[in-house]
């Protein structure tokens, strides 16, 4: 090793799901929405003046902030936007978790939390989920430097009812509590309704799932003006222009079309419920997901074998080589046709074993 | 102050240049390119299929990496792309500057360097420029944890000839040396020609100036495969999908159109040289800028008064309230017409005093 290499940061890189390419493949591995973005997005793109790209975008992405504030019935000083919810969450770790006490998040959860904590030197503890993968709210009542959990959780899809979310909030008045709601639009009531009561609550959401815009990278946080100001200050101190012009312009259109949003979200939920019934018939079991994926293990067929067999058929699902996760597959909810192709293959495959 | 507020990170937020809006205004305050992006960019936008936005973009932005590798005659494993050069530079600080020894950069330079160093807990020292604002290469020959400087420097616009860049490199074999070339295409030979000799040299450039794409947020780094791999690993560990689909698709088109790039860059350089002559006649003096701006002070008119007078006329330039900078204005190079309007106003204004 050369001397200059000695001071290079050592990390364990995150491995994103495959982004395979091809005409016939069925992609159920990265929790993307199977439906295109709202029609207004294509119109906004067609009308975009590329000459404007020579200029810096508005650092505050104000058009988008305003559209979100209106949609969610909050003040414009209560919304922060970033380049995907990963960007928003990383910025929130950096801004709010500066205590010597450990931040708390579940042992089975979004895999970036421990990565950000390590990167920023934040101590953390990971209370174990119960044996059915539920969060034990009691574990979040001890002294800590902050709390974060996804709701629904990943990769289980389990939704925590708002009374339990509030139980955690009531026990944590002196730290910032972040609820990461990437999948909330497929689930149930959002913790957004608690932000006026708890000014230490930050709710983070994304355009990547329910708004069909993973390709644009838009995430946002909603909370009290004090939290949003702190987040903005850190963001501006670090990189003041992150949201590009196409994201701002197209993001606004996605937020405005409530009818399309409701329609596609409902379709995905209906397909998910049908998928649960069908997977049960095929011998799978799984936590009762409220997200746009199902985290399923088969009664006797090993997950990794199923993963490989599906991949050979050009059907991509997600498999995690990790303790407590390696006996399951995470299957994103596609269109009804895509799911039927999956079920058809599984039926034949399991019959032949 | 509430208890949860105590652990919020305290920062001094960066204040970006005004982004005023209006029909008649002349915007010479943020070093944007006065010409639109290459014509292929508009075509790529018109052909973009918004249905694809539902999917995550390629985390490696490979199409763009390939286009850049081809353009600069390097391997595809020698290019890293990020959301503007701020993103690339911040990631480089995080990746390469992990020594206990101080990183070195000039005292007058890009204002984000000390911000990132503080944010990541990196010790640093800032050797003073000489009285004509030149970097003293001798200051970079002491023990350090890394070196970074812009070339041309900001906000002076002074270009350091490659033999001096190499003098710094020869003295710093054991640390990573970053040359931040945001303005290089208006200046002279790039340190890119040294990367095959110095595998600890990282060269960072941007699409925001010479490629007229500030609104898209694209920056990139070129260096040895070892440096690029380290940078990618840290990036993937932190946020694996940052470059959005429109940026990738339109970025490729901007890189491909060499003729347009040369034509607009040459026009800006010609306007800059004409501006220097005219500003001198008007009683200004300035370092001999090779960038797309001029950092000028007037013989007798105070900079802040000039700044305000210009603003009243809807002509925006940049003024920095900081030691060594407060007697000058940073004037971006616009079109010939925009510069003529500036000169005309200055002439009348100075005559009237």
């Amino acid at each position: 090793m050369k001397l200059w290499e000695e001071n290079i940061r050592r990390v364990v890189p995150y491995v994103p799901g495959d982004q395979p390419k091809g005409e016939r493949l069925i992609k159920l591995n990265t929790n993307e929405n199977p439906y295109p973005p709202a029609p207004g997005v294509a119109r906004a793109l067609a009308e975009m003046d590329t000459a404007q790209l020579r200029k810096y975008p508005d650092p505050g992405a104000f058009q988008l902030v305003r559209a979100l504030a209106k949609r969610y019935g909050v003040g414009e000083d209560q919304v922060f936007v970033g380049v995907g919810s990963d960007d928003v969450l990383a910025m929130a770790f950096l801004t709010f978790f500066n205590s010597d006490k450990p931040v708390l998040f579940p042992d089975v959860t979004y895999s970036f939390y421990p990565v950000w904590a390590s990167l920023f030197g934040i101590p953390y503890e990971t209370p174990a989920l119960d044996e059915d993968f539920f969060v034990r709210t009691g574990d979040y009542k001890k002294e800590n430097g902050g709390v974060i959990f996804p709701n629904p959780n990943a990769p289980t899809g389990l939704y925590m009812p708002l009374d339990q979310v509030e139980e955690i909030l009531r026990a944590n008045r002196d730290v910032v509590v972040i609820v990461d709601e990437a999948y909330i639009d497929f689930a149930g009531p959002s913790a957004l309704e608690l932000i006026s009561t708890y000014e230490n609550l930050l709710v983070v959401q994304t355009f990547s799932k329910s708004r069909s815009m993973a390709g644009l990278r838009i995430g946002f946080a909603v909370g009290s003006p004090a939290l949003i100001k702190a987040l903005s200050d850190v963001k501006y101190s670090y990189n003041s222009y992150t949201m590009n012009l196409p994201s701002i312009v197209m993001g606004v259109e996605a937020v405005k079309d409530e009818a399309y949003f409701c329609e596609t979200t409902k379709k995905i939920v209906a397909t998910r419920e049908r998928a649960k019934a069908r997977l049960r018939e095929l011998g799978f079991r799984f936590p009762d997901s409220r997200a746009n994926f199902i985290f399923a293990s088969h009664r006797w067929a090993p997950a990794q074998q199923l993963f490989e067999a599906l991949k050979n058929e050009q059907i991509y699902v997600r498999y995690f080589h990790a303790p407590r996760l390696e006996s399951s597959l995470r299957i994103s909810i596609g269109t009804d046709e895509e799911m039927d192709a999956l079920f058809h293959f599984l039926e034949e495959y399991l019959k032949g074993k």
Side-chain angles (χ1 to χ4, degrees), chain A:
Chain A
M1 183 178 284
K2 310 219 170 75
L3 276 173
W4 59 266
E5 289 182 294
E6 275 176 20
N7 289 315
I8 288 180
R9 181 178 289 269
R10 313 270 161 247
V11 294
V12 181
Y14 175 80
V15 180
D18 282 340
Q19 286 293 18
K21 293 218 167 71
E23 288 296 304
R24 286 178 42 250
L25 67 85
I26 295 180
K27 199 167 166 302
L28 306 174
N29 66 335
T30 52
N31 299 344
E32 287 150 348
N33 196 309
Y35 303 108
V41 171
R43 276 198 303 276
L45 183 81
E47 286 164 14
M48 216 175 93
D49 175 9
T50 47
Q52 293 305 312
L53 292 173
R54 72 176 186 82
K55 290 197 273 186
Y56 282 98
D58 168 20
F62 186 67
Q63 285 178 65
L64 186 55
V65 164
R66 188 167 48 191
L68 285 164
K70 195 173 161 206
R71 163 68 175 79
Y72 291 101
V74 296
E76 286 162 3
D77 57 354
Q78 293 189 265
V79 178
F80 173 88
V81 298
V83 182
S85 60
D86 281 351
D87 182 40
V88 176
L89 289 166
M91 212 59 80
F93 269 65
L94 200 52
T95 305
F96 301 118
F97 295 160
N98 293 292
S99 164
D100 296 333
K101 294 170 198 154
V103 167
L104 305 179
F105 49 83
D107 66 334
V108 172
T109 194
Y110 187 40
S111 54
F112 267 153
Y113 296 167
V115 172
W116 293 321
S118 305
L119 194 62
F120 303 132
I122 300 166
Y124 64 95
E125 279 177 22
T126 58
L129 297 179
D130 75 15
E131 51 192 28
D132 296 319
F133 288 116
F134 283 98
V135 168
R136 285 185 278 228
T137 53
D139 292 344
Y140 296 82
K141 293 178 181 174
K142 59 179 172 180
E143 213 181 26
N144 63 65
V147 173
I148 179 166
F149 56 90
N151 193 27
N153 197 8
T156 64
L158 286 173
Y159 172 71
M160 183 192 291
L162 274 199
D163 57 339
Q164 288 179 37
V165 172
E166 195 162 8
E167 192 187 326
I168 292 178
L169 280 162
R170 266 197 304 266
N172 289 282
R173 299 276 189 174
D174 296 339
V175 296
V176 174
V177 177
I178 302 175
V179 185
D180 175 4
E181 296 190 333
Y183 302 102
I184 194 71
D185 296 320
F186 309 111
S190 159
L192 281 172
E193 50 187 84
L194 302 173
I195 57 168
S196 52
T197 315
Y198 299 91
E199 63 174 334
N200 59 327
L201 164 63
L202 191 78
V203 177
V204 178
Q205 296 191 5
T206 175
F207 281 44
S208 298
K209 320 292 181 187
S210 54
R211 296 196 186 273
S212 302
M213 283 188 142
L216 272 191
R217 319 305 310 119
I218 307 178
F220 62 101
V222 184
S224 62
L227 288 184
I228 298 303
K229 185 183 179 307
L231 208 45
S232 299
D233 283 351
V234 171
K235 179 244 170 103
Y236 283 123
S237 82
Y238 175 95
N239 179 349
S240 46
Y241 301 105
T242 53
M243 175 78 58
N244 70 12
L245 186 66
S247 292
I248 296 173
V249 171
M250 293 192 258
V252 168
E253 293 305 317
V255 176
K256 272 158 62 177
D257 197 337
E258 194 63 20
Y260 184 83
F261 169 78
C262 292
E263 180 200 327
T264 48
T265 307
K266 262 190 204 149
K267 271 204 281 192
I268 291 165
V269 168
T271 305
R272 178 189 72 202
E273 294 306 311
R274 204 171 64 86
K276 286 179 186 170
R278 198 71 191 90
L279 285 171
R280 258 186 226 107
E281 286 169 12
L282 289 165
F284 285 89
R285 51 193 151 197
F286 40 84
D288 187 30
S289 170
R290 298 296 171 90
N292 69 338
F293 57 82
I294 297 171
F295 189 62
S297 62
H298 194 261
R299 274 205 316 270
W300 50 261
Q304 194 167 5
Q305 280 176 29
L306 279 170
F307 171 77
E308 295 294 344
L310 285 163
K311 196 168 165 180
N312 281 339
E313 279 301 294
Q314 301 265 70
I315 300 175
Y316 287 80
V317 298
R318 192 81 198 268
Y319 175 70
F320 300 94
H321 259 298
R324 297 194 72 187
L325 306 183
E326 63 204 353
S327 60
S328 299
L329 297 174
R330 193 193 65 188
I331 304 166
S332 306
I333 304 301
T335 61
D336 282 318
E337 296 67 36
E338 289 173 326
M339 300 310 282
D340 285 341
L342 169 77
F343 303 141
H344 180 73
F345 172 77
L346 286 173
E347 191 170 1
E348 296 299 312
Y349 176 83
L350 294 165
K351 224 187 283 177
K353 285 279 148 174

